[in-house]
Amino acid sequence: MKRIALIGSTGSIGTQTLDVLRAHPESFCLEGMAAGTNTDLLVQQVHEFRPKKVSVATRELAERVRPQLPENVKLYYGEQGLIEVAAGTDADTVVMAIVGSAGLPATLAAIEEGKQIALANKETLVTAGHLVTELARQKEVALLPVDSEHSAIFQCLNGERAEEVEQITLTASGGSFRDLTREQLRHVTVEDALKHPNWSMGAKITIDSATMVNKGLEVIEARWLFDLPFEKIGVLLHPESIIHSFVEYRDGSVIAQLGTPDMRVPIQYALSYPHRWTSQARRLSLAEVGKLHFREMDLVRFPCLRLAYECGKIGGTATSVYNAANEVAVARFLNGSISFLEIETIIEKALSRHHVQSCPDLETIRDADRWARAVAETL
């Protein structure tokens, strides 16, 4: 039986992770869970799964939720709470499903304790890929991708020789506005942006999909997960989201991973690896799908993806600023204070004002993150 700690239990990936655990109760034991502010759902989850340790966002929330939890549950809060749940339980696998850079310290702490990481938190590798991958190597800890695209690449690389890879290609649905012109994007609303055509995801990731920041983060993440230069990482627009990604080898062979758009499949594969278990997902019928479509990625139409490649190649704190400025800009768009196209403007302006520091340590990364957030609030 695998012992799991789940960071981000009330979010989209977190709730779908719990679906996987429900489908295989004989295979998993939930040791700990952490959530942000959705304490009503967290309380329900705790009573169902009975973890030993639980964490919430703040002390105030902890005081409010304490009377609603079983007496034997240890309750924590804040960043130290995330670290305690990730690294301080008997879990052998930690699912990092929290959105944003807050997941980095907990991930590093879990790796330090030798725990396997099922990684759905893009920002961890985007901001500190050099630190995370080096520590994982030292501790001989596996980083198993949960994102559908990275899971697909991981599966396509199984049993193959890394030096024979010519190119990996991440597919992108294009998000809510893939068929709109730049002029049409000036007038889109938050409600429009949250209507993703294929996937069921949280608000922040859905907006990132529409701006293509999500794909940019995935490109940077792929560089660290698969130890490939950016020149060997491509992106292709694929509206149906059936081919999740593919790998081309030097002999011209292309190996792709296909399936219906259901995040429970890559989540389960990360938890069951190296085995495959029966899934709740709807089976793929290519006859029913009929046709698949592909378009070259237009970096003028999607400038946030261009910026991601540029930041990734620069390295250092550039990727932290890219990520932090985007988090602030998306939050401002969601609360109605800026327009959709101003998200990319804020990211680019923040980057233009930043002096990049190479090979940053954790504190330097945090300083760059704080600086970028402060700047992005004022733009």
Side-chain angles (χ1 to χ4, degrees), residues 4-231:
I4 307 295
L6 175 55
I7 310 299
S9 67
T10 59
S12 176
I13 297 296
T15 54
Q16 291 178 89
T17 299
L18 294 179
D19 284 344
V20 172
L21 269 57
R22 288 186 189 98
H24 301 279
E26 72 289 346
S27 301
F28 298 111
C29 172
L30 193 63
E31 294 286 332
M33 55 170 46
T37 59
N38 190 351
T39 55
D40 289 342
L41 179 55
L42 177 66
V43 168
Q44 296 176 30
Q45 294 172 341
V46 170
H47 281 279
E48 179 181 359
F49 288 93
R50 299 285 173 166
K52 298 181 179 69
K53 294 184 177 181
V54 172
S55 179
V56 293
T58 65
R59 168 180 276 182
E60 293 73 24
L61 285 172
E63 291 172 350
R64 190 187 312 165
V65 80
R66 172 71 269 181
Q68 303 175 62
L69 299 181
E71 288 186 5
N72 61 338
V73 172
K74 294 182 179 179
L75 182 60
Y76 305 87
Y77 62 89
E79 182 179 290
Q80 282 305 122
L82 294 179
I83 292 172
E84 186 64 41
V85 172
T89 72
D90 292 329
D92 46 59
T93 299
V94 179
V95 180
M96 292 302 305
I98 189 174
V99 174
S101 56
L104 175 57
T107 302
L108 291 171
I111 294 173
E112 192 69 49
E113 293 299 316
K115 300 181 187 299
Q116 183 169 272
I117 307 297
L119 191 61
N121 176 272
K122 296 178 179 64
E123 294 82 3
T124 291
L125 290 182
V126 167
T127 61
H130 61 298
L131 299 180
V132 173
T133 54
E134 175 58 23
L135 185 60
R137 185 191 64 78
Q138 292 176 12
K139 296 294 181 178
E140 298 183 337
V141 165
L143 299 175
L144 298 174
V146 168
D147 272 347
S148 62
E149 295 83 357
H150 297 115
S151 177
I153 298 296
F154 181 69
Q155 294 177 60
C156 293
L157 291 172
N158 273 348
E160 302 291 341
R161 298 168 63 87
E163 62 269 24
E164 294 174 353
V165 173
E166 187 73 23
Q167 166 113 351
I168 67 172
T169 299
L170 308 176
T171 56
S173 69
S176 312
F177 306 137
R178 61 194 177 204
D179 297 318
L180 299 188
T181 65
R182 297 282 297 172
E183 180 60 33
Q184 290 171 321
L185 289 175
R186 297 180 184 279
H187 311 292
V188 299
T189 66
V190 172
E191 291 72 22
D192 296 331
L194 291 176
K195 296 174 184 175
H196 194 284
N198 300 342
W199 296 93
S200 173
M201 305 183 292
K204 195 263 183 183
I205 298 177
T206 304
I207 302 302
D208 284 350
S209 180
T211 62
M212 210 58 71
V213 164
N214 194 48
K215 204 56 52 178
L217 297 175
E218 289 175 5
V219 166
I220 299 169
E221 189 180 6
R223 178 263 174 274
W224 294 109
L225 278 172
F226 307 117
D227 193 23
L228 289 169
F230 286 97
E231 290 74 18

